[in-house]
Amino acid sequence: MKTLLSALALTTALTVPGLALAKPVTLTTNLNAYGGDGAYLALYVTDAQGTYMGSLWMAGGKAKYYEHLSDWYRATAGNPAEIDGITGASVGAGQQLKITLDLADALFDAGYQLHIDASVEEMRDSPSEVVVPLTTAGAGQPVPGRRYIRDFTYDM
């Protein structure tokens, strides 16, 4: 129940910023030119203990591929309700995903981490390709990915 309430608070802060102190945060993910199909990306938040708190964005629209975003899939049991209304197209090799969301102020400097899982058809999956602590000092600092993501930044 605690996880459900925390996830509800996180998603409420994303969708109804007037109910919580929140600020617009731009998430920018630059992909490497890896030479394959478009990447599916799951952007989600965990607390300091690694407990899943909520999904921020899903790039890629075919649910049959979500299981390849294995850390996200394990945390959510693949529940499509976790991403209802927060999906977009997959991201092509060498391209950029740039989204702006209202994130609760309480997520910053409190031990929360943003994760990005990545998967490309006919290529290896990359769970937790990027893991970055959400801190005010980390804003604007590029974080390298491990396989498909060249770098990721968030700006407030």
Side-chain angles (χ1 to χ4, degrees):
M1 185 66 161
K2 180 180 171 187
T3 301
L4 177 63
L5 292 175
S6 296
L8 179 60
L10 175 67
T11 56
T12 300
L14 293 174
T15 58
V16 188
L19 297 177
L21 293 176
K23 65 176 124 256
V25 178
T26 300
L27 310 174
T28 305
T29 308
N30 295 302
L31 272 62
N32 288 314
Y34 51 79
D37 291 333
Y40 273 56
L41 305 172
L43 287 79
Y44 58 99
V45 174
T46 61
D47 67 11
Q49 291 73 42
T51 303
Y52 171 82
M53 302 306 293
S55 296
L56 301 176
W57 191 259
M58 175 70 73
K62 294 184 181 175
K64 69 180 182 177
Y65 297 121
Y66 294 165
E67 69 186 71
H68 296 283
L69 301 163
S70 57
D71 284 354
W72 175 86
Y73 194 84
R74 184 176 28 261
T76 64
N79 183 355
E82 291 292 325
I83 55 165
D84 284 348
I86 56 168
T87 59
S90 60
V91 185
Q95 301 295 310
Q96 180 183 82
L97 172 67
K98 188 171 191 171
I99 54 175
T100 300
L101 305 169
D102 288 329
L103 295 183
D105 291 345
L107 294 175
F108 293 90
D109 301 316
Y112 292 96
Q113 294 184 317
L114 187 144
H115 294 250
I116 305 175
D117 284 11
S119 180
V120 176
E121 190 174 354
E122 304 297 327
M123 298 178 85
R124 293 179 59 192
D125 298 339
S126 190
S128 291
E129 162 104 11
V130 170
V131 179
V132 60
L134 291 172
T135 64
T136 51
Q141 304 299 316
V143 176
R146 295 184 301 118
R147 180 169 288 121
Y148 303 113
I149 296 172
R150 183 177 73 235
D151 58 55
F152 168 79
T153 56
Y154 61 91
D155 292 298
M156 299 187 278

